[in-house]
Structure formats: C-alpha cells, structure tokens
Amino acid sequence: MRTAVFSTKPYDETYLRGAAEGAGHELLYLEPRLTPDTAALAAGCEAVCAFVNDDLGAKTLTALADRGVRYIALRSAGFNHVDLRAAAELGLGVARVPGYSPYAVAEHCAALVLALNRKTHRAYNRVREHNFALNGLLGFDLHGRTVGVVGTGRIGVCFTRIMAGFGCRVLAFDPYPGEEAEAAGAEYVPLEELLARSDIVSLHCPLTPETFHLVDRERIALMRPGAMLVNTSRGALVDTAAVVDGLKSGRIGHLGLDVYEEEADLFFEDLSDQVIGDDLFDRLSAFPNVLITGHQAFFTAEAVAAIAATTMANLTGFERDGFCGNQVALERT
Ligand code: NAD
C-alpha cells in the first residue's frame, strides 16, 4: 500500500524504512506537516501516516479523502488531533500506536522531576562557566514526599512504580481506577484531594473535551504552595496563562513540560536562528524553575522502533482486512 508519511524526520525514515522491509508497503517520505494545504501531496496514496502536530481536522481529512486516501495511521498514542466524526463520515479508518513504550515517557517524566528538584539544568550551565557556588541549588529529598498521578493508564502506572521506588507516597486520580496502580503502591483519592496533598503533580491522562485545561486557575489554587507540576501528556491539559500566574505567585514552585498548548508551530523544528512570536512560551522559558523539553518523552530507540513496527502492522491490517486492532472508533472519544 502506498502511504504518504508526513512530518518525516531523518529518525522516522530510518526506523520506518527498517520496519517496512518485507511488509510490502511503499512509503513516500514527506517533510512538511500535514495541513489542508499540504494534503494534496498525498495524491495517489491509499494511506497517510501522521504525527502529533499534524492537522487532522475536517478540512484536511476532506482534502485527503477527495484524493483517494482511505486510511490514517498515526505514529502516536494520542489521537486528540483527529476529527474522528469527520473521519467516520468520510469513511476513513484511523489507527494509532497504543502503549509503544510507557517506560520512555515515564522515565523522561522522572528525569524532569529530578532535574527540576536538584536544578541540574542550572548546575550544568554554572559548572561550564566555572561557577561552583551552590547558592540557589538547594533541593529536597524525594523520599517521603507525596506524588499525585493524574491518569493511571500505561504511563501513569509506570511512573507510579518509579516514584514509589524513590520512597514517595503516591496518590492517584482516574475516573477508571485500576488494580495495577494500587499494586504499584498508589492510593486513589478525588482530584481535589490529590492536588491539595501532593508535593509533585504529574499528568498522564489523554486530552479530551473533558480534560481540556484540567489544570486551570481554580485547581492551581488548590495545590500546595510551592508544589511541582509536570506535564508530559498533552499541552492543553493545562491553562498555560494560569500556570504562568501560578509561577509568579509562587503557588507553583517548579514546572516541567514536555508538551505545550501551542507547540504545533514550534516543536520538532530548529528555530534557533529565528525570533519566535509566542510571548507566553518566552515568558515560561524565562523562569529559572521551569524546565521545558520539546515533546521528546517518547524518544527512545525502543519506543521509536515499536512505533514503526506497529504502524506497519496497522497498515498491513488496513490493506488486508480493511480494519486493524488499533483502530480508533468514534465512540471511544
Ligand atoms: P492510557 O490510555 O493507557 O491511559 C490514560 C489514562 O487516563 C486512563 O487510565 C484513563 O482512564 C485516564 N483518564 C481519562 N480521563 C481522565 C481524567 N479526566 N482524569 C484522570 N485520568 C483520566 O494512555 P497512556 O499510554 O498512559 O498515555 C497517556 C497520555 O500520554 C496519552 O494520552 C498522550 O497524550 C501522552 N503521551 C505523551 C508522549 C510524549 O512523548 N510526551 C508520548 C506518549 C503518550
């Protein structure tokens, strides 16, 4: 099956090429992001392979369907960027890659917690300038601290295990509590209680209409003064403007982000020679107690290989049977 791969980076091509060997799929590697304007590049392809910041709104999907595309294979677990209603109406099958490596994301999340706490990012820069002073680098023992995990799916459970290993008490919130998190040491509590009791709050739920701005002004006011907030899930889970105010007031003591509400125009690109016009991002970056990475939590060799392998299996299912096990159905939103 001929598939147009949008937002292709060299590492995508390397891993997809390896996985496609023998699967009989012809991949057309395209650097541009998928948008209504670039959809025409998929002409002659039966399928499109897209990533997290590709635009899969109704306009793009219509443009793809008009050009003969029948299937969308996402290289991501999250599918919040796909208009599933439009896809269903257009008869487009959509598949994702669930649970390719919860370890990759959970471990990156732990790295953000550790770096923010011990200010490793600042220490690194200081030592390079031969500034060996410790002023301002004081951290705290993780042992004995309370960590709040919002969303106890694959990644949340993995992160629970890691933090329990540090000797943290783990509180969890999930509308669908699971035994695995409890077995890993988490105690389920209501979200408000989690926010009020946690020294560190980490988000591991999907972005849906219900979770949009889950961390808003009111919920930030419930957090412990000086608490750490970490978001490795999706940017729009937090109201960024409210978070900036929370940082200014000191309610939020540390902020770790791997995702950002308006990341689509920034992340995955080298913009180091450009002035970016996003004042909110620049404000966030200016805080000494904020650490931002550019949506790299998934980025381990194991995870990227698993994404490529599952994407090929999804395409094979679509080609052979017209559907695949990882298909995202409208009723799941
Ligand atoms: P998952 O589907 O296994 O788990 C998600 C959990 O969130 C489920 O248990 C679900 O019940 C829960 N949930 C749903 N609504 C909730 C709410 N309102 N409050 C609290 N919990 C809620 O997903 P996963 O594999 O653990 O991934 C979690 C998220 O991580 C994904 O949706 C994706 O957005 C993000 N992610 C980010 C990266 C990255 O590179 N930064 C990589 C992969 C996934």
Side-chain angles (χ1 to χ4, degrees):
M1 186 154 64
R2 190 168 157 83
T3 302
V5 184
F6 282 86
S7 298
T8 305
K9 299 292 180 201
Y11 44 83
D12 292 312
E13 191 169 338
T14 302
Y15 281 88
L16 286 170
R17 199 180 288 283
E21 261 171 39
H25 297 301
E26 187 190 342
L27 303 187
L28 175 67
Y29 298 103
L30 301 167
E31 279 183 41
R33 261 175 61 203
L34 176 59
T35 66
D37 295 332
T38 61
L41 294 171
C45 293
E46 250 188 293
V48 151
C49 181
F51 199 44
V52 290
N53 289 332
D54 284 316
D55 174 347
L56 291 150
K59 217 171 154 191
T60 310
L61 294 177
T62 305
L64 290 173
D66 285 349
R67 284 166 180 83
V69 171
R70 294 169 58 210
Y71 304 111
I72 312 286
L74 301 173
R75 305 199 291 285
S76 59
F79 51 90
N80 51 282
H81 54 315
V82 186
D83 186 333
L84 289 179
R85 187 167 301 280
E89 281 165 12
L90 293 161
L92 291 167
V94 180
R96 66 179 185 129
V97 184
Y100 45 81
S101 169
Y103 313 105
V105 182
E107 288 168 13
H108 187 77
C109 189
L112 288 176
V113 170
L114 291 167
L116 277 166
N117 174 22
R118 305 305 291 269
K119 299 154 179 74
T120 317
H121 52 306
R122 302 183 65 197
Y124 173 79
N125 286 324
R126 281 192 192 186
V127 171
R128 281 169 67 91
E129 293 187 0
H130 296 173
N131 173 359
F132 304 107
L134 298 184
N135 283 341
L137 299 184
L138 192 68
F140 55 85
D141 282 7
L142 281 173
H143 182 92
R145 294 287 174 151
T146 301
V147 177
V149 177
V150 181
T152 52
R154 296 174 188 87
I155 296 169
V157 165
C158 202
F159 183 67
T160 296
R161 288 198 192 103
I162 293 172
M163 299 318 286
F166 278 114
C168 295
R169 172 200 302 271
V170 181
L171 303 178
F173 170 73
D174 194 307
Y176 305 99
E179 284 170 13
E180 256 195 293
E182 283 180 326
E187 175 197 351
Y188 280 104
V189 295
L191 180 58
E192 285 66 29
E193 185 178 338
L194 179 150
L195 295 171
R197 288 176 57 195
S198 298
D199 299 295
I200 297 165
V201 174
S202 191
L203 307 179
H204 299 288
C205 54
L207 176 61
T208 64
E210 291 73 40
T211 61
F212 177 80
H213 284 188
L214 179 92
V215 178
D216 58 9
R217 227 164 267 281
E218 278 128 56
R219 293 219 169 96
I220 289 169
L222 296 176
M223 290 172 68
R224 288 179 70 117
M228 181 187 296
L229 175 66
V230 184
N231 184 10
T232 55
S233 281
R234 284 293 178 267
L237 291 177
V238 304
D239 176 347
T240 313
V243 164
V244 166
D245 288 342
L247 285 159
K248 279 183 179 170
S249 72
R251 173 65 63 170
I252 297 175
H254 311 263
L255 176 70
L257 296 181
D258 185 53
V259 286
Y260 169 60
E261 259 188 300
E262 303 298 334
E263 70 177 52
D265 291 333
L266 304 176
F267 287 5
F268 308 124
E269 302 303 327
D270 179 358
L271 305 177
S272 52
D273 287 337
Q274 297 181 33
V275 173
I276 65 162
D278 186 330
D279 292 348
L280 205 51
F281 185 84
D282 280 343
R283 181 67 191 97
L284 271 181
S285 317
F287 288 105
N289 49 350
V290 172
L291 182 51
I292 307 174
T293 52
H295 209 136
Q296 72 170 82
F298 75 98
F299 201 50
T300 65
E302 291 81 356
V304 179
I307 289 170
T310 305
T311 299
M312 284 311 123
N314 289 345
L315 288 173
T316 300
F318 277 141
E319 184 177 37
R320 198 183 46 205
D321 309 317
F323 64 91
C324 75
N326 293 320
Q327 206 154 333
V328 189
L330 185 57
E331 60 270 20
R332 288 182 60 180
T333 57

